[in-house]
Amino acid sequence: MKKFLAFSIILTIVISGCKKTQEYNLQFNINNLENGTAYLQTLSEDGMQTIDSAAIVEGKFSFKGSLPEPLFVYIKLSGKPRRIGLFLENTKIFVDGHADSLENVRISGSPLNEEYKQFKSLLSAYDNRQQELQQQYIEARKVNDTSTLNKIDKLWDLLDRQQNEMVLQFISQHKNSVISPFIITQRLIYSLNVNELDSLVSIFPAELENSIYVRMLKKRVQTLRNVEIGKPAPEISLDDTMGIVRTLSSLRGKYVLIDFWASWCGPCREESPNLVKAYERFHNKGFEIFSVSLDTQRDKWIEAIQKDHLTWTHVSDLKGWQSTAAGLYGVNAIPHSVLVDPQGIIIQNNLRGEALIEFLDTLFR
């Protein structure tokens, strides 16, 4: 299960300590919009963070301020579920539209938003085709048409590859723009391996070195480098189900499977019988499992452990996707596993099912 939109953008951090030299002036004119409040927001790991607000009077409102660098922001309007997303930069930006079609607002006066509009236009063809395939998939599922379902799966994979190629080409052609690292954080940061991501980040010029988006990408690369095969497994120290602190290092001298999971994760629960099988077969030979839950509700966590008969060490800080251990290991999807040798060195990633059993068989022969 993919972690959705897992990057941190906090405007107050970005602007702290910076000399105010230029200003942004964001002017809105939204027809048929009721009086209320507009909120200027950024997306953080904890969700949307409001950094400014303005009164809406007869469809008009504005935000003024200063930024050291362009930043993608969202505008939330009271009474409207849809947000307006745009790049904020130190210039005068005009946004016009209708309250009933906020997805079609017109943004002018901003070179970055013109550039981003080009990207969204290229992307729309793929998005439309994906929506068509999704609807066809739903209809085929209703009648259990496996032949059509298989064809759609292949078409989806092909379309996904073509879309990624288009995105990479756009990034290469716009490598001097802050839009490109932003697009990577939105669309590619969790789908590329560490070498692919590192190579992509290297194309950006020195002028973008301090961009918040480039810094986010470099942080991701460093996190993945820290948990590559051959590296010492970072320490994990969390409470177990009884509130007793358990550490990964306490299992040194044994082969340990670090298992990231959650009670609400269907694929994780499906993997439980395989883990039970591996534990029963190899535990007496020196194999341990150290399960780290991304749950937020203690009762659900404990209930799943008992129901699935998971009799090994379980820990969690009950912070969900904000789990400190998950962040340390760069986990963006679960189930996720890391196999550590008796010396505490990472030797494999994401072994599941029979692949795990077969690998452990070779270790304990």
Side-chain angles (χ1 to χ4, degrees):
M1 293 185 175
K2 293 291 182 182
K3 180 179 180 182
F4 183 71
L5 289 183
F7 69 94
S8 177
I9 308 173
I10 304 178
L11 185 62
T12 53
I13 293 176
V14 175
I15 65 174
S16 62
C18 296
K19 185 177 180 181
K20 188 172 180 179
T21 55
Q22 293 180 310
E23 289 188 340
Y24 59 80
N25 187 341
L26 192 52
Q27 300 281 340
F28 286 80
N29 184 11
I30 308 297
N31 293 329
N32 207 37
L33 181 63
E34 294 182 3
N35 291 350
T37 307
Y39 303 91
L40 179 63
Q41 300 179 324
T42 58
L43 184 63
S44 79
E45 290 180 345
D46 298 321
M48 286 292 176
Q49 304 291 315
T50 298
I51 55 175
D52 199 359
S53 62
I56 303 170
V57 180
E58 296 182 350
K60 294 181 173 60
F61 58 94
S62 64
F63 297 101
K64 294 181 180 180
S66 179
L67 287 173
E69 60 173 311
L71 189 69
F72 196 83
V73 298
Y74 299 86
I75 309 299
K76 177 71 175 71
L77 306 176
S78 55
K80 295 292 182 181
R82 180 181 290 274
R83 290 180 173 86
I84 301 171
L86 73 155
F87 272 96
L88 189 60
E89 55 183 322
N90 290 327
T91 188
K92 197 164 189 177
I93 303 172
F94 299 92
V95 182
D96 300 280
H98 194 281
D100 294 334
S101 57
L102 295 177
E103 67 277 13
N104 296 320
V105 296
R106 298 176 300 277
I107 304 172
S108 59
S110 165
L112 275 179
N113 284 293
E114 285 297 323
E115 196 173 359
Y116 191 51
K117 181 180 178 181
Q118 294 174 24
F119 174 72
K120 290 194 294 183
S121 177
L122 291 170
L123 202 61
S124 64
Y126 297 94
D127 288 342
N128 292 338
R129 180 57 178 148
Q130 284 179 335
Q131 290 176 11
E132 292 174 3
L133 288 176
Q134 189 174 29
Q135 187 57 44
Q136 292 172 18
Y137 192 89
I138 292 172
E139 295 301 321
R141 280 286 297 273
K142 290 179 180 178
V143 295
N144 197 28
D145 185 348
T146 56
S147 176
T148 299
L149 290 172
N150 290 333
K151 289 179 182 178
I152 293 173
D153 280 337
K154 292 178 181 178
L155 287 172
W156 186 280
D157 289 342
L158 175 61
L159 188 65
D160 196 50
R161 289 196 299 272
Q162 292 173 339
Q163 179 177 275
N164 283 344
E165 289 172 4
M166 181 278 292
V167 172
L168 289 170
Q169 184 178 23
F170 184 91
I171 289 168
S172 177
Q173 294 171 347
H174 297 79
K175 62 184 179 182
N176 295 323
S177 171
V178 71
I179 283 180
S180 289
F182 168 75
I183 289 172
I184 298 174
T185 65
Q186 292 285 293
R187 307 195 68 88
L188 299 173
I189 189 170
Y190 296 123
S191 63
L192 299 177
N193 65 43
V194 62
N195 291 327
E196 291 170 333
L197 188 58
D198 200 5
S199 177
L200 199 52
V201 173
S202 70
I203 72 172
F204 299 125
E207 300 83 68
L208 292 181
E209 194 77 14
N210 292 321
S211 161
I212 185 172
Y213 305 114
V214 172
R215 296 201 307 271
M216 287 165 55
L217 295 174
K218 288 186 174 182
K219 181 180 179 181
R220 173 69 176 171
V221 168
Q222 187 57 57
T223 296
L224 296 179
R225 292 290 186 209
N226 290 342
V227 291
E228 286 183 305
I229 291 175
K231 295 289 183 67
E235 176 68 297
I236 298 175
S237 178
L238 291 172
D239 288 354
D240 67 9
T241 57
M242 302 297 291
I244 300 171
V245 175
R246 303 288 186 178
T247 62
L248 176 63
S249 59
S250 68
L251 299 176
R252 191 68 53 84
K254 299 180 180 181
Y255 286 96
V256 182
L257 185 75
I258 308 171
D259 166 47
F260 292 93
W261 75 299
S263 66
W264 45 260
C265 167
C268 302
R269 303 295 293 275
E270 291 173 8
E271 183 63 17
S272 290
N274 296 321
L275 294 178
V276 170
K277 179 181 176 181
Y279 189 73
E280 290 177 346
R281 182 167 173 177
F282 298 104
H283 176 60
N284 291 335
K285 297 181 179 182
F287 174 65
E288 289 286 351
I289 300 178
F290 190 84
S291 284
V292 181
S293 171
L294 272 63
D295 275 284
T296 57
Q297 299 180 51
R298 178 178 295 277
D299 56 342
K300 297 292 185 182
W301 173 38
I302 295 174
E303 180 184 348
I305 293 171
Q306 295 172 344
K307 186 174 183 179
D308 291 1
H309 308 291
L310 312 179
T311 57
W312 48 83
T313 302
H314 290 268
V315 299
S316 181
D317 53 15
L318 298 175
K319 293 181 179 179
W321 284 112
Q322 279 67 56
S323 162
T324 54
L328 199 59
Y329 280 77
V331 176
N332 65 281
I334 52 176
H336 179 88
S337 66
V338 178
L339 186 61
V340 179
D341 73 6
Q343 289 72 48
I345 303 300
I346 296 171
I347 58 174
Q348 283 292 331
N349 289 310
N350 283 320
L351 287 173
R352 288 195 282 274
E354 285 304 312
L356 173 62
I357 300 293
E358 291 173 4
F359 190 84
L360 292 175
D361 248 334
T362 64
L363 291 178
F364 293 111
R365 275 178 189 164

